[in-house]
Structure formats: C-alpha cells, structure tokens
Amino acid sequence: MLINSLFHAMEANPRGRDFVVGDVHGHAALLDALLDVVKFDPAADRLIGLGDLVDRGPNSQALLERLRTQPWFSSVRGNHEAMFQGSIGDWAVERVWRRNGGKWADRMSAVDMRALATIVDGMPLSMTLDLADGRKVGLVHAELHVDHPWEALAGLRPDTEIDPIDDFSSTVASAALWGRTRIRSWAAATTPAVLAVLPPARIFGLCKALTPIAGLDLVVHGHTVLASHRPASCGNLLWIDTGSGYDDGRLTLVEPLTGRYWQSTYRGKESVVVLRREGRLLPAPSTLPASVLGPPLP
C-alpha cells in the first residue's frame, strides 16, 4: 500500500494484528518465513516495514512491487530507498548507492528503474500506529532528530527537500533516514568503560538523546545493525535492525501489541530457519547509570 505523504497515522486494526519488520534488504525469503510462522492473515493483519526493503539481497525489485500491490503492506522510507530514487539523474548519489548494495538494478532498463523509483514517493518518512489497548507507536527508519519533538517530523511539508545522502542529520528529514545519535548514545551509556572517560558535555548529550520521546508510548527504529543480533530498548526507544543484509544477520519481526518478536536467518546459503518459532518477549529497557539519568547540565 503506497502512502503519498511524508507522514501517515494508522488507526487501530479492528480486524486483526499489526506487525513491524526491520530492514529486509532484499531478503524476501527471510520475511516470508516470518509471516508464515506467525500465520499472517492478509485479509485481516497488517505489516509495516521500517524501510530499507532494498539493496544487498536478491529480491529488491520484488519487495518494492509487493509494497505497491499488497494493501496489507506499507513501509516508511529508508536511506536505501532514498538513494535508489535519488540516483536517477544524479551521478554522485548513484555512486554512493551502488557502493551500498545498489548493483541489483544493473539488469534493469532506465525506463524500468524510473517507474520502480516512483514507489518511493509512497513511503512516508514517519508513521504512527494506534494499538488496540490505546497505546501509540511511532515508526521511523533511523531516528527523530535529537533537537526536535516528534511533531517536527510528523509535520514536514509535502514539498520538503530531502537529500538522499546527507548522513550528518543536518535536517529533521535527513535524521529520519540516516541518524544514529540516539543508538550511539545508548551504546555509550551502557558501556561503563566508555562512559567513564566521557567529558560532562558528552554526558549532557547522552541525557538529551536518551530522553523518552514525548507523546508516544514506543518508537521503533531500524537502520543501525545491532551487534548482538537481538532487539535493544531504552526508555520508549526500540531498535530492531538485526542485520538481515549481512551473512550472519537476522531479520526481526515485532508485534507491538503483545511485545513479542520473531527472527529468521539463513542456514548455509539457501536454507531459511526461524529461531524460536514461538517467539520471544522484547527486552526490557536498558538500565542507565545515574550519571545519564541525572539532571542535565545548565
């Protein structure tokens, strides 16, 4: 299902379940194995991607086509979709994109590439999902810019300029595609050896980045691969990119209402396996040290 706006609010699903999947990166077999194990019902259930459906894996084109044709499937935009679309007519973007997994399009004609790239316009930068229990979930590929509230991302104008290769979080839009400030802050805050040598100004930065995002009960992110290959949580932030674009990675599927997740991976080069077919409970938010939870510096 294509959504031609930069933000979309999904109401609670009155008929079935809602699932959120991390960065698929062209691996349709991993996704389909997860949908099979949870007995996904296309007539009632919904699937929302966190972007980066494309690149690295063998089924990038098919996944974008699925997004266009299946009413139960929607996705926010990732930096890889932004690079794919931006590569058309821009050699600098094309060079960056092809270095990062874009060679799958070599077999496509220029006309077919342009047609496929129009799908990216139907992938918003952010979404919210209402759950049946009244909670509200935010969905964004990378992150909400640390200097702005959620409303700044949800309120982006349709004509907002989006730089597909701005990985410095220069704007709210580029942070949604490329930002890593919050997850890197979480990694630093939960590593005592790193935290011990940070100056006060950096501690202030950690406090700011890890402050829960107001107005949402949970915010789910992809984009940055977790070395543990398992989801991680801090406050109301949840990260679920577990590396499906890499040989030893996993694809993670989450059901926000129940707080459960499932993972698939490859055994060898062809065989797909689902780990713990009954699923697991999402991790509790990380316990942060007092130095990070304390009052910000003036």
Side-chain angles (χ1 to χ4, degrees):
M1 180 178 73
L2 301 184
I3 301 164
N4 291 296
S5 62
L6 293 182
F7 168 74
H8 181 67
M10 296 188 75
E11 296 181 351
N13 188 345
R15 298 184 301 164
R17 301 167 296 167
D18 289 321
F19 295 92
V20 177
V21 68
D23 303 29
V24 182
H25 277 303
H27 290 281
L30 294 180
L31 175 59
D32 291 339
L34 292 172
L35 296 181
D36 181 66
V37 80
V38 300
K39 296 180 171 54
F40 186 87
D41 179 2
D45 300 335
R46 300 185 298 198
L47 174 67
I48 307 167
L50 288 177
D52 283 8
L53 302 178
V54 303
D55 296 347
R56 302 197 175 110
N59 310 118
S60 295
Q61 181 176 354
L63 285 163
L64 284 178
E65 293 288 1
R66 186 183 301 190
L67 190 66
R68 174 157 54 191
T69 60
Q70 300 303 324
W72 47 264
F73 185 27
S74 57
S75 178
V76 300
R77 189 181 315 183
N79 58 311
H80 282 260
E81 285 86 22
M83 287 190 291
F84 164 52
Q85 186 183 55
S87 73
I88 297 173
D90 190 321
W91 67 267
V93 176
E94 181 181 7
R95 183 171 62 178
V96 174
W97 170 58
R98 289 187 179 274
R99 282 204 309 262
N100 285 277
K103 292 184 179 180
W104 59 271
D106 287 348
R107 63 182 180 272
M108 296 180 65
S109 70
V111 172
D112 288 342
M113 278 186 63
R114 287 190 182 91
L116 192 66
T118 62
I119 295 174
V120 179
D121 289 327
M123 303 174 74
L125 288 183
S126 65
M127 299 172 66
T128 55
L129 170 65
D130 291 342
L131 302 182
D133 61 6
R135 288 180 294 155
K136 186 180 290 290
V137 178
L139 304 166
V140 62
H141 176 63
E143 69 179 7
L144 170 66
H145 195 293
V146 295
D147 291 331
H148 295 273
W150 181 261
E151 290 76 16
L153 179 55
L156 288 174
R157 294 170 53 88
D159 59 352
T160 297
E161 184 175 347
I162 301 173
D163 185 336
I165 54 174
D166 174 13
D167 60 352
F168 294 100
S169 294
S170 303
T171 66
V172 171
S174 63
L177 294 172
W178 286 95
R180 303 184 198 270
T181 300
R182 295 179 190 271
I183 193 168
R184 287 174 173 168
S185 296
W186 164 80
T190 54
T191 307
V194 173
L195 196 60
V197 297
L198 290 181
R202 288 292 304 279
I203 298 293
F204 171 76
L206 298 188
C207 293
K208 183 178 182 180
L210 298 178
T211 298
I213 294 174
L216 297 168
D217 297 287
L218 181 69
V219 184
V220 192
H221 315 74
H223 186 51
T224 300
V225 177
L226 292 148
S228 67
H229 299 312
R230 292 189 178 185
S233 177
C234 180
N236 66 350
L237 310 177
L238 175 67
W239 297 280
I240 66 168
D241 182 0
T242 47
S244 67
Y246 299 92
D247 291 340
D248 60 344
R250 304 173 183 178
L251 180 63
T252 295
L253 180 76
V254 171
E255 186 179 13
L257 182 63
T258 64
R260 299 193 71 82
Y261 74 95
W262 295 260
Q263 294 186 306
S264 59
T265 189
Y266 290 108
R267 180 172 292 164
K269 291 190 176 180
E270 301 295 334
S271 179
V272 175
V273 295
V274 175
L275 310 173
R276 294 283 292 268
R277 297 179 67 86
E278 70 276 16
R280 298 174 182 263
L281 286 175
L282 286 168
S286 300
T287 301
L288 299 178
S291 58
V292 177
L293 293 174
L297 296 176

